[in-house]
Amino acid sequence: MKALVVSALYPPRQVGGAEKIAQVVTEGLAAAGHDCVVLTTMPGWGAQRSRVNGIDVHSIGLRNLYWPHERRDRMFPAKPLWHALERYNPLMGRQVARILDSERPDVVHTHSLTGFSCAAWHEVKARGIPLVHTLHDYSLMCPRTSMFQDGRNCDGQCRTCAAFTGPARRISARVDAVVGVSRFTLERHLASGYFGATARREVILNAIAAPRAAVARDERTARPLRLGYVGQLVPAKGVRVLVEQMRAWSPQQCRLVVAGSGARDYEDLLREGVGPNVRMLGFVDPRQVYESIDVLVVPSLWEEPLGMIVLEAYMQGVPVIAAHRGGLPEIVDHGVTGLLYEPGQPQALHDAIDGLVRHRGRLDALRAGALAKASAFLGTRMQAQYAALVATVATAA
């Protein structure tokens, strides 16, 4: 079987977890004996061919007004025009068609379609090729990809989002199999009319490719409780709420390190609220954070599709305090691998943290639970699930 994997980004170009998962899945298919080729985007209008870990990668220049994977604001009217072309980009469709005709795959597996647009699906199905798609976020439903605006989660699609994403919703019915990285993510798309005629609908939780050994920690109970945040510094992640909560404790009781970067204005706003028990580290290797903390906090305000950072923490034996949002409850077992709280309740995050400040003995059991849970998120499990699904879809056509 020959599989073409389509992903907006692919290592070494990467911004988030979707492209990491695309790589792990692709390499799993190759390890299972299948012939794999990758199609991805790059800045500019050229085309390149390279090999990444023994797999051929076609990189094609993005035919749109700008490269979207940069943290910078775009002036009107560039941004709406970019999204207007992204509704259905025939220029990118022709590039996908060229690769399909030259590689002649037996099956296509798409991940993030940002840049390609749903024109990629049209070209695949115009050739009668079986098609699998993995939902990593809400980009098919919302140009912002988050379904989060003005500090709150969207109950459904607004008129603007519905207009921009209408072609994707219609064409999604032709996808042969759809995978959600969480049950929540899959169900949210189905409830909005996506993949209405898709026969195979599955949930395959993300996994870590090659976990590192858990680090040793200072287990003295006399020191402060050490919390950590790792991720992008954006309003939807709720990091400002976490920073402000830290005012409730002295540095002798509880401390927080914040690792990540974001827009300069938002970083400045965060620093204004930083007290003596909060350190802003900037962008660092997350392992440095895991080595120095007792608990990871994931204070998401938006409906997080899954939360790869939770899996990374488990691999290091670090329990998690997480918002009851999106797919996070599917991977955080309350009282076993960490604690869940309701972000809409003002005292909930404070109470979750304070419970561990006052009862440090709970950490030992939570650490053990996190390490035990980690075994469920090994890359080999996820690779086997995807290999079986893709092969079934390919042979059923």
Side-chain angles (χ1 to χ4, degrees):
M1 178 186 76
K2 184 173 187 178
L4 174 67
V5 176
V6 180
S7 177
L9 296 174
Y10 195 83
R13 292 187 185 92
Q14 62 185 53
V15 174
E19 48 271 21
K20 294 180 183 178
I21 296 301
Q23 181 181 27
V24 175
V25 171
T26 303
E27 292 178 0
L29 288 171
H34 303 299
D35 184 10
C36 294
V37 182
V38 172
L39 175 60
T40 188
T41 64
M42 69 178 189
W45 280 61
Q48 296 177 356
R49 185 163 182 164
S50 59
R51 285 183 70 81
V52 177
N53 293 348
I55 294 172
D56 284 339
V57 177
H58 293 276
S59 300
I60 58 177
L62 181 60
R63 272 68 170 171
N64 207 323
L65 298 182
Y66 57 82
W67 179 247
H69 307 291
E70 296 176 328
R71 292 177 185 169
R72 54 176 293 191
D73 292 330
R74 299 289 176 173
M75 300 296 290
F76 183 86
K79 193 169 185 178
L81 288 175
W82 192 97
H83 284 292
L85 185 55
E86 177 70 359
R87 291 182 78 238
Y88 186 96
N89 189 332
L91 301 176
M92 293 300 288
R94 285 198 286 270
Q95 296 301 311
V96 173
R98 177 175 61 84
I99 299 300
L100 289 171
D101 292 339
S102 64
E103 294 290 350
R104 302 179 66 82
D106 300 302
V107 63
V108 174
H109 183 189
T110 57
H111 292 266
S112 172
L113 288 177
T114 299
F116 289 108
S117 83
C118 61
W121 283 349
H122 175 82
E123 297 297 339
V124 172
K125 298 313 296 181
R127 289 157 176 77
I129 303 172
L131 175 60
V132 178
H133 181 70
T134 294
L135 297 165
H136 294 277
D137 55 26
Y138 310 114
S139 56
L140 295 179
M141 301 171 62
C142 171
R144 293 181 302 277
T145 77
S146 63
M147 297 290 288
F148 184 88
Q149 188 175 25
D150 299 328
R152 65 178 185 85
N153 290 290
C154 302
D155 294 330
Q157 283 185 305
C158 64
R159 292 181 180 179
T160 301
C161 286
F164 273 117
T165 62
R169 183 171 55 253
R170 290 190 293 272
I171 299 176
S172 70
R174 303 183 65 191
V175 173
D176 297 285
V178 59
V179 176
V181 298
S182 65
R183 174 65 57 187
F184 182 92
T185 305
L186 176 60
E187 294 295 341
R188 188 156 203 196
H189 283 80
L190 297 178
S192 295
Y194 287 78
F195 308 101
T198 298
R200 297 187 66 98
R201 304 167 176 178
E202 297 194 12
V203 175
I204 300 179
L205 299 177
N206 286 342
I208 301 296
R212 300 170 179 174
V215 298
R217 288 178 181 78
D218 180 356
E219 303 297 344
R220 293 174 298 162
T221 58
R223 56 168 175 69
L225 179 71
R226 302 169 301 179
L227 306 177
Y229 170 89
V230 178
Q232 291 182 321
L233 303 185
V234 295
K237 291 286 189 178
V239 62
R240 186 181 180 188
V241 175
L242 174 59
V243 168
E244 292 175 347
Q245 288 281 349
M246 294 305 296
R247 298 171 186 166
W249 300 279
S250 70
Q252 290 72 41
Q253 294 174 301
C254 186
R255 298 179 183 178
L256 169 70
V257 293
V258 176
S261 60
R264 180 174 297 178
D265 290 348
Y266 189 69
E267 287 194 25
D268 291 343
L269 184 64
L270 286 177
R271 288 191 172 89
E272 289 177 5
V274 166
N277 57 350
V278 178
R279 289 177 56 212
M280 304 282 289
L281 303 180
F283 185 81
V284 299
D285 184 342
R287 186 173 170 83
Q288 296 179 28
V289 180
Y290 300 137
E291 291 173 348
S292 65
I293 66 173
D294 301 304
V295 181
L296 179 75
V297 184
V298 186
S300 296
L301 300 178
W302 77 304
E303 304 286 7
E304 191 93 41
L306 185 72
M308 285 291 291
I309 198 68
V310 172
L311 311 187
E312 293 181 5
Y314 286 169
M315 296 296 174
Q316 298 300 319
V318 176
V320 176
I321 296 175
H324 198 287
R325 282 284 191 261
L328 290 170
E330 298 177 40
I331 55 176
V332 179
D333 299 332
H334 183 74
V336 179
T337 66
L339 302 174
L340 290 166
Y341 71 94
E342 292 293 341
Q345 300 176 5
Q347 277 289 112
L349 177 56
H350 170 275
D351 292 346
I353 296 172
D354 198 55
L356 294 180
V357 170
R358 295 175 182 274
H359 304 286
R360 297 285 295 280
R362 297 179 64 188
L363 283 174
D364 289 339
L366 293 177
R367 289 192 190 102
L371 275 175
K373 186 79 170 181
S375 62
F377 298 109
L378 297 176
T380 50
R381 181 270 306 164
M382 180 182 68
Q383 288 173 327
Q385 288 178 288
Y386 272 108
L389 174 62
V390 172
T392 299
V393 171
T395 55

